[in-house]
């Protein structure tokens, strides 16, 4: 089965750039999506098709995907960005999520 | 506005079944896949499967095959997820989420808490 691997945690200082990686075999050949989830809330799509932002998502959120790694980058990280982030891809008509990364802004 | 509203919390005994509903509004129900994703307490997101409301076609994660059934009623724009032979480790929040075909899940329901306990 296909797997996506994320670091369990990432820490960043306010105003700095946070990068969260997602690794999977030939992930660059697929589209990667990213979801933000804050405690007690439903997931929110923040990046789709590798690098596209849905309406309403701040410009500081960006994405890339090449080779075996997709990356979510948050520029000028704010306290409100502290959350769990999940990558997702399609594989053989099924959906795969990464294990999630807890982003701490401190 | 586009919205997915799920049914309320459930408490079930081991071995029982649960059926969760997800009512869509604000868009053409048959134009988007509906996924079901669950999240056990303190854990990550786990994909369960999808249903194509237009055709009724489904695709379930291997882990749940034989135990889950996803259906829909297009007349009331509602999708359903039934999970049978519940175990304590099925205790989780269950989400529905729409996706335009083989793409990202852009709208999520509020979640339904299912507790399995004797």
């Amino acid at each position: 089965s296909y797997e996506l691997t994320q670091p369990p945690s990432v820490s960043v200082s306010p105003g700095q750039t946070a990068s969260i990686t997602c690794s999977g075999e030939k992930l660059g050949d697929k589209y990667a999506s990213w979801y933000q989830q804050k405690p007690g809330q439903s997931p929110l799509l923040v990046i789709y098709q590798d690098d596209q932002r849905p309406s309403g998502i701040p410009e500081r959120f960006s994405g890339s995907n090449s080779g075996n790694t997709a990356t979510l980058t948050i520029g000028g990280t704010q306290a409100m960005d502290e959350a769990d982030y999940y990558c997702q891809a399609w594989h053989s008509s099924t959906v795969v999520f990464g294990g999630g990364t807890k982003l701490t802004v401190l | 506005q586009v919205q997915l509203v799920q049914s309320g919390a459930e408490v079930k005994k081991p071995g029982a079944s649960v059926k969760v509903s997800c009512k869509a509004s604000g868009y053409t129900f048959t134009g988007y896949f509906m996924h079901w994703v669950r999240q056990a307490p303190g854990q990550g997101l786990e994909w369960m499967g999808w249903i194509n409301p237009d055709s009724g076609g489904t695709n379930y994660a291997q882990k749940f095959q034989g135990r889950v059934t996803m259906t829909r009623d297009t007349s009331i724009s509602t999708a359903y997820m039934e999970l049978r032979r519940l175990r304590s480790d099925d205790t989780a929040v269950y989400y529905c989420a729409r996706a335009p075909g083989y793409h990202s899940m852009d709208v999520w329901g509020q979640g339904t808490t299912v507790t399995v306990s004797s």
Side-chain angles (χ1 to χ4, degrees):
Chain A
S1 63
Y2 192 78
E3 294 185 359
L4 295 174
T5 301
Q6 300 180 234
S9 63
V10 168
S11 297
V12 63
S13 300
Q16 299 304 302
T17 296
S19 294
I20 300 173
T21 58
C22 173
S23 298
E25 185 177 354
K26 297 184 179 180
L27 180 56
D29 292 345
K30 312 176 189 296
Y31 278 136
S33 303
W34 290 91
Y35 302 87
Q36 175 194 70
Q37 187 181 33
K38 297 180 179 180
Q41 296 185 15
S42 301
L44 172 71
L45 179 66
V46 295
I47 293 289
Y48 67 98
Q49 290 183 11
D50 296 339
D51 58 5
Q52 301 298 302
R53 276 180 294 103
S55 174
I57 300 302
E59 291 185 8
R60 63 180 181 274
F61 287 87
S62 62
S64 64
N65 185 15
S66 179
N68 294 324
T69 304
T71 303
L72 173 68
T73 303
I74 308 172
T77 307
Q78 300 183 10
M80 69 173 65
D81 300 329
E82 185 163 288
D84 294 326
Y85 291 85
Y86 296 90
C87 61
Q88 174 254 310
W90 281 85
H91 177 73
S92 299
S93 301
T94 66
V95 169
V96 181
F97 285 103
T101 298
K102 181 175 182 58
L103 178 67
T104 301
V105 182
L106 42 67
Chain B
Q1 74 282 21
V2 177
Q3 204 172 4
L4 300 175
V5 178
Q6 299 182 223
S7 49
E10 303 263 12
V11 179
K12 296 291 184 181
K13 293 192 181 303
S17 299
V18 68
K19 191 170 186 177
V20 180
S21 68
C22 172
K23 182 169 178 59
S25 60
Y27 72 98
T28 302
F29 178 64
T30 52
Y32 293 77
F33 283 18
M34 191 70 77
H35 294 262
W36 291 90
V37 177
R38 77 177 187 180
Q39 186 171 38
Q43 302 301 308
L45 302 176
E46 181 175 30
W47 179 74
M48 299 180 70
W50 56 254
I51 182 169
N52 179 343
D54 189 27
S55 65
T58 56
N59 194 349
Y60 304 139
Q62 189 168 12
K63 174 178 179 177
F64 299 102
Q65 287 189 10
R67 214 160 60 93
V68 71
T69 301
M70 297 177 187
T71 56
R72 90 295 190 212
D73 184 339
T74 57
S75 68
I76 55 172
S77 299
T78 299
Y80 302 92
M81 186 283 299
E82 181 179 34
L83 189 62
R84 300 177 293 279
R85 302 191 299 277
L86 290 168
R87 307 185 293 254
S88 58
D89 61 358
D90 290 318
T91 294
V93 177
Y94 289 76
Y95 295 100
C96 60
R98 78 165 197 179
Y102 294 93
H103 293 286
S104 311
M105 301 171 205
D106 63 348
V107 179
W108 293 65
Q110 85 276 19
T112 296
T113 299
V114 175
T115 302
V116 183
S117 174
S118 56

